[in-house]
Structures are given as structure tokens and as C-alpha cells.
Amino acid sequence: MRSVPEDYVYLDYAATAPLCEEAAAAMAPYQVPGRANLSVGGNANSLHAPGRAAFKALEDARRSLAADLGARRPDEIVITSGATEADNAALVGLAHAAAGVRRRAGKGSAALHVIVTAVEHDAVLAPAKRLEAEGFRVTRLAPNRQGFIEVEALERALDQDTVLVSVQAANSEVGSIQPIADLARVAHAAGALFHTDAVQALGKTFVNLEAWGVDAASFSAHKVGGPKGIGALYLKTRTPFEPYQMGGGQESGRRSGTQNVAAAAGFAAAVRAVQPEWQAEAVRLRALRDKLYACLGALEGVCATVQVVPGDDAFLPNIVHVLVDGLESETLILRLDMQGFGVSGGSACSSHSLEPSHVLRSLGIDADRAHGALRVSMGRYTTEADVDAFVEAMRKSLDWN
């Protein structure tokens, strides 16, 4: 396997961010071998001293996450294996629980209704499809051409049988930021629960669970410089929920499975590092985003997928998404990789699919144009020199012989 050169320019933060120094330091004590590991490396569900030490570390991480995410109570944070599990658990667990509440209240046997958006991550769309197979009615709400879910569109889609609405906080491909607080308010007025996949929003834009007023939210550590394989599901107190993963009853019975204490510590440290600085970092990244949009737009055959005006805070500050005429994403990605630049064509979770992005198709972009999509996503370690060098590499890729 080819090693990555030291001067490689990584511009795929929306897929995963490099492990940050704070997370690495927080996890370091858990990596010592043998007896020394017992000071922190026990099973957090055991009663002996190593178990109690691990339990304390886990609860410290939970309290830190709750404070930084704007939850009212630490026990509203459920540790998961990542955002995919959190999304799956939210969709299925909330819908099933809401259906149970409806049945016990004697509200009839009509098919219950779930609303998601057409631009959600597959971690939401797939469980929505499962719910549909179980008899739920599922509406996939279309965005406008800029990728936004309009409050009026959600109001029209809601009905008396709607039990759950799920709308992502920010899109991982084109970067549109949704009006979560307004959408949640409309859903609640209709008697529905509200979930948001907040993976891409964290550390890049405003995230505060209490201010948003949501019932559930999903997060992932590795998008903000934490370790892979851990995330969190926020469940507001008294939100009805049926456990999706069962077994040992960990996480107060809401998510069974032995918790990864080391990763939880790294997750909390990464969030603690990014949340207080998100506004200043957004200003820095937005300047790089605007410069990159301007430079790429000046290249022949390249155009922005959505219209992002300079300084626009309705889109994520770290994502640039363009369409390239006459070239497929895979060709461009490999040409850029050969020059030492890592970018993507869209969501990394579907990078091996030959189908055009469902997000772009939902924006009304035809399949041929969607095949030429390129996403550049920046982060903590991206510099202006990286952006300048990428533009030159992009120019060479377009002129490739």
C-alpha cells in the first residue's frame, strides 16, 4: 500500500477529520499495556476499582459532551458506535415508541407517518425505508434548488398521523444549513417528534440542543477530530424511545454494549476543543471557501453547484461543491490524488457507487452533470497556501493529456 507523502494536502474533512492533538492526548492514558492499564482501562459497568475508574472517566466525558452540545442533563447523551448507529436508533426507536404511545392512547389504526428529507444521509434514508416496509407512511421532503428545506414545505407535509420528522442540520455535500429550530417548532405544533442528524454542523456552525428544541440528535466524533467508531445520540428527557440495540442494558437501557471509554474521552476532548472556537474558525474557513469558489469558478467548464455569495453563513464555511463539464468525479479525484491532493465527489459512504448523488438529483441536477461533481472540504489544518496549491492542481487536472 502506498504511503501518504508528508506534503499531501488533505481536503476531505467532511468525510473525516485528522485526529486532533486534544483527542490524542485524552486517549493516551488508555493505550498503556498490562497492569498499568487498570487505572483507567476497566469495564465501566464493573463494580471493582478498575471498573469504577472507567465509569468515572465515561461519565466525565458524558458531562463534557452535554455541556458543549447544549443538553440540559448529562444522561440525555447516549454513547453509540457512531452517527450511523445514532441515526438508525433515532429513526426506528422514536417511530416505534411514538406508535406505541398512539396505540395506548387509542388513537386509531391509521398508518403512522414519518417525514425525512430527500437530502439526508443514507443512515437516515435506509431506516426510513425499513419503517416504510413495516407499514409506516414515509414522505421524503424535497429541498429547494439551493438545498434548503423550507418551513412552509414541512407544514404542508405534516398531518394528524405524523409521529416523527428528521431533518439534517447541515448537508455534507453542498453545505446548506437548515433552520432547525423553526422546523422543530412546526413539527411539535403538529404533535410530532423531531430528530436532526447534526454530524456536519458540529464545530462549523451554531449547535445548541436546548436552543434548537429538538427531541433527538446524532453526532459523530471523527468529523471534528475525534476517533472513529464513536458517536452520540441525544435524547431529550422524557422523549419516548424503544432501544434499537439490546443486550446488557448499558446506557440506562437505551444502548446495550460495552462502552469504549477511551474513545469517549477522545470524543469529548475533540468537541471541547472545537465548540468554543467555532465562530472564529467559521470566519477563517469562510474566507478560504469564498476564495476557492471564486478561483474554481474562473476555470473553464467549472461552476458552483449552489449559489454561495461571499460571506454567506447559510452554507457551511468549510465546503465547496462544484460541477465539472466533460469529466467524471472519479477521474478528477485520481488526477488530483496523483498530484498530492485529497478530495471527494460527495459523501464518502457512497464513494464506490456508480450512481449519481441522490442529493444532487434532489436539487434537480441531471445525472450527466452530477457525475462530474467535486467536493472540497476544509478544516482545522487547512491553510490559504493549501487552497492556492489546490487551484493550480485543479487547473492541471483539467488540462491533463
Side-chain angles (χ1 to χ4, degrees), residues 39-310:
S39 63
V40 288
N43 187 317
N45 306 285
S46 298
L47 294 178
H48 46 56
R52 294 196 302 274
F55 178 79
K56 180 181 183 305
L58 180 67
E59 294 310 301
D60 286 347
R62 195 188 312 276
R63 281 191 290 273
S64 179
L65 287 167
D68 287 327
L69 297 175
R72 295 188 67 180
R73 298 162 48 126
D75 62 5
E76 294 178 323
I77 303 298
V78 180
I79 302 299
T80 69
S81 66
T84 294
E85 182 193 334
D87 283 340
N88 275 247
L91 266 288
V92 177
L94 292 173
H96 285 181
V101 170
R102 289 271 179 130
R103 285 194 300 270
R104 290 189 292 274
K107 292 190 176 181
S109 57
L112 297 182
H113 184 213
V114 172
I115 299 174
V116 298
T117 82
V119 293
E120 296 297 315
H121 191 280
D122 282 336
V124 168
L125 294 177
K129 189 173 182 180
R130 168 178 164 176
L131 290 172
E132 198 168 36
E134 293 175 358
F136 285 81
R137 289 187 296 114
V138 175
T139 295
R140 296 164 180 83
L141 205 58
N144 63 23
R145 178 57 183 82
Q146 290 288 84
F148 298 106
I149 302 300
E150 296 172 344
V151 174
E152 295 78 10
L154 176 58
E155 285 181 315
R156 290 192 296 270
L158 290 159
D159 62 37
Q160 63 182 2
D161 295 313
T162 307
V163 294
L164 175 62
V165 176
S166 182
V167 181
Q168 61 186 197
N171 186 259
S172 66
E173 295 190 34
V174 297
S176 46
I177 299 171
Q178 307 300 345
I180 293 301
D182 293 337
L183 294 167
R185 193 176 304 114
V186 167
H188 290 154
L193 296 171
F194 190 93
H195 163 258
T196 184
D197 177 334
V199 168
Q200 294 293 338
L202 185 59
K204 314 298 187 310
T205 187
F206 176 79
V207 172
N208 186 288
L209 295 165
E210 188 173 6
W212 275 351
V214 300
D215 303 292
S218 303
F219 298 94
S220 179
H222 75 101
K223 305 293 188 180
V224 292
K228 298 176 183 66
I230 190 162
L233 172 63
Y234 162 75
L235 287 174
K236 186 178 180 180
T237 302
R238 292 187 291 278
T239 296
F241 177 75
E242 288 189 7
Y244 179 79
Q245 185 163 310
M246 297 171 283
Q250 291 89 347
E251 295 297 296
S252 301
R254 296 169 297 180
R255 193 274 182 183
S256 293
T258 303
Q259 299 97 331
N260 186 339
V261 180
F267 185 11
V271 174
R272 198 160 51 244
V274 301
Q275 272 297 80
E277 304 297 328
W278 78 261
Q279 288 176 300
E281 180 66 350
V283 170
R284 186 185 76 86
L285 289 172
R286 195 174 293 121
L288 297 180
R289 179 200 70 184
D290 294 346
K291 178 176 184 176
L292 189 50
Y293 263 127
C295 292
L296 293 181
L299 299 178
E300 186 175 355
V302 181
C303 70
T305 305
V306 290
Q307 297 305 309
V308 181
V309 300

Side-chain angles (χ1 to χ4, degrees), residues 5 19 51 78 144 223 249 317 327 349 364 373 389 395:
L19 188 70
V78 180
N144 63 23
K223 305 293 188 180
L327 283 172
C349 299
R395 183 178 290 108

